[in-house]
Amino acid sequence: MSQVKPIASSNDFVIKFANVNGSGSASANELFARAIMRMGVPVAPRNIFPSNIQGMPTWYEMRVSGAGWLGRRGGCDLMVAMNPQTWDRDIAEIEPGGYLFYDSTKTLPRSRFREDITVLGIPLTEMCNREYTDARQRQLFKNIMYVGALTALLGIDFAVVEKLIADQYRGKDKLIGANVNALKLGYEHARAHLPCPIGLRVERSDGVGDKIFINGNDACGLGAVYGGATVAAWYPITPSTSVIEAFGSYCRKYRTDPDNGMARYAIVQAEDELASIGMVIGAAWNGARAFTATSGPGISLMQEFFGLAYFAEVPAVIFDVQRGGPSTGMPTRTQQSDLISCAYASHGDTKHVMLFPEDPYECFTLGAQAFDLADRLQTPVFVLLDLDIGMNDRLCKPFDWDDSRRYDRGKIMTAEMLDAGKNFGRYLDVDGDGIPWRTIPGTHPSKGAFFSRGTTRNAYAKYSEAGTDYVYNMERLRHKLETAKKLVPAPVVQMAAQPTRSGAIHFGSTSAAMTEALSLLEAGGVHVDAMRVRGFPFADEVIEFINAHDEVFVVEQNESGQLRMLLLTEGEVDPKKLIRVLHYDGTPITARFIAGKIGDALSAHKVTPIRKQVAS
């Protein structure tokens, strides 16, 4: 018998579902997450799935947090173990005092369980075999049955889940009835045979408020629409494909002529990634706002075209939904592993603008802003999110948009300006910000034409291999990147409750876990200032933040410390100051991991005073 007291917690725990890919469990698990949100309790679910189509292990981890923490905490309080293949691994993850829910149709020896957890068994397979004859129905409704059982075990209002099923299958009464019946079977069996509710409970709250539940890829697709994009060229690649799918869906709604039904947009699936970025550059050179969406392998293939767009100064937007690498790596796992390949994409001396959204809200806002920056700076702009943000639904504040906002097209010379005698040199810097004027094809019948090339030229776009012309253009491009520092989103600073000489820098999806980690550290008496970087080239404030601290932990999700590399290269700071905190196993980083690494490192720096021995 366990001597460990069962965990008791209201609106603050982690549930993990261990299933088999292709079993239909994902929709049932998401249904359960939405039910908790309808109880007013914030939830942060994450689908951890294999790249294999069917039969491989898959997990769905659900953070329930009345306090609103949306990052991974680490550990698991309730394991729903539906996959015999991963049983031992799943059991080992449960926190002492936690709970195991499993299908007890088959009797298991006591040795397969732990003494320090509470075991909750329901004969799901037996119940399904008794209730249904169709093999597929048995599998699908088993998932709904365990949702019903968990509803009872966690004290969730049954009517909430029942209403959610009715909403989901509205207009399909047969499916509503069948699913509600399966839900009741699991609910009633748990109420009759298990202690309901257990120590983990969901109690009604108002913690969700007006937040919306959306994934980052959908938010990027909508951001592209609001940012004025009319052309998308792409080649399918996990985990970015749904960016284009979302863009297409929103375009059909918002970019279709209401009078004649004609599409005011173009979406082209190219034969490969190289062709897709070529199409984007061609459309952008012609004046359209154009973009592509890809992942690490696609970034690798597009390198030469990135160099062309950088040197010819053609605006373009690239949404890079990062995954594990190198090579094809882990297509369905998350990492922040493309910073270096995007920052210096192509050969020779290039440096690209990058934006780092932290959640779907910023995927929308920075996604839209990327098109203004690309036009203003006349250069490619990379929006770097990752699978964790891109493919997992996340609670975030509602999107907002100022209807009076006008697109920033940058320095585009009009026919009137040309007729007025304005001096037009396509690569001529006339006002000292490094950004030249451009014309859109067709602007004027006889003035303002130029030839774009990837080879060297002078300020008037005429072919030249003179070293002075090359130096002029490269120095101007570098100066343009200095201008970009003032235009990219400013970093966000979170000062500790007490003055400290310790700092931390992070970016992107790490933000949710990082914010909670800082709270954990503070509760333990460890104070750390934090800065979230949102853009590259780095604003001057980033280097100032580093210089203001004795040590700065650089928290990122890759093996080589790529953000740290960029800080060292671009900021010329003391390498000893920047301490790596790296997480790269393909799962999203956790608050416990960050707090543990920073806490251990700071503890190791403390020196215990040596006491003099006093003779007795």
Side-chain angles (χ1 to χ4, degrees), residues 298-511:
I299 294 293
S300 299
L301 292 170
M302 297 176 184
Q303 293 285 308
E304 189 169 0
F305 263 133
F306 291 148
L308 170 64
Y310 175 83
F311 198 50
E313 297 179 72
V314 181
V317 173
I318 303 94
F319 291 97
D320 177 14
V321 189
Q322 299 166 94
R323 72 190 206 189
S327 190
T328 50
M330 295 192 290
T332 58
R333 297 293 193 268
T334 193
Q335 278 187 18
Q336 298 172 318
S337 52
D338 295 344
L339 272 73
I340 298 297
S341 59
C342 289
Y344 305 119
S346 189
H347 62 278
D349 295 312
T350 55
K351 187 189 297 184
H352 298 289
V353 175
M354 301 188 293
L355 307 181
F356 308 123
E358 69 163 342
D359 63 2
Y361 176 83
E362 285 197 344
C363 286
F364 171 74
T365 55
L366 299 190
Q369 184 182 357
F371 292 91
D372 277 352
L373 286 172
D375 270 352
R376 176 81 175 270
L377 295 165
Q378 300 175 30
T379 196
V381 173
F382 294 79
V383 182
L384 272 71
L385 56 157
D386 56 40
L387 185 145
D388 184 31
I389 303 176
M391 294 191 71
N392 288 316
D393 287 333
R394 185 84 60 89
L395 281 170
C396 66
K397 63 181 180 180
F399 300 163
D400 50 42
W401 187 262
D402 181 358
D403 288 332
S404 66
R405 174 175 169 179
R406 294 295 176 263
Y407 298 139
D408 183 353
R409 297 307 305 265
K411 295 180 180 178
I412 297 180
M413 195 165 283
T414 64
E416 292 75 19
M417 294 168 71
L418 291 167
D419 280 333
K422 288 285 186 181
N423 179 22
F424 176 64
R426 174 62 187 95
Y427 301 107
L428 186 66
D429 183 8
V430 296
D431 49 14
D433 63 0
I435 306 171
W437 286 80
R438 63 178 172 133
T439 57
I440 302 298
T443 295
H444 195 284
S446 60
K447 299 176 182 178
F450 64 92
F451 187 84
S452 291
R453 52 169 54 89
T455 50
T456 54
R457 70 277 159 162
N458 65 14
Y460 291 88
K462 293 182 179 179
Y463 177 79
S464 170
E465 292 193 17
T468 52
D469 288 331
Y470 178 78
V471 170
Y472 162 78
N473 274 299
M474 293 306 295
E475 289 182 347
R476 182 181 54 76
L477 287 168
R478 277 291 181 257
H479 187 60
K480 181 167 73 171
L481 269 295
E482 288 296 313
T483 300
K485 286 183 179 182
K486 303 177 181 65
L487 298 177
V488 298
V492 177
V493 177
Q494 181 178 347
M495 300 300 289
Q498 295 182 15
T500 177
R501 298 295 297 173
S502 299
I505 289 180
H506 60 103
F507 71 102
S509 68
T510 305
S511 174

Side-chain angles (χ1 to χ4, degrees), residues 339-340 344 351 505 533 536 538 542-543 546-547 552 554 556 560-580:
L339 272 73
I340 298 297
Y344 305 119
K351 187 189 297 184
I505 289 180
V533 175
F536 176 85
F538 300 125
V542 177
I543 308 307
I546 295 172
N547 291 335
V552 176
V554 185
E556 49 188 315
S560 51
Q562 294 183 25
L563 178 60
R564 182 178 181 273
M565 289 184 198
L566 286 177
L567 291 168
L568 291 174
T569 301
E570 301 296 328
E572 298 181 357
V573 297
D574 182 359
K576 293 179 181 178
K577 270 194 170 190
L578 302 183
I579 303 170
R580 299 177 180 88

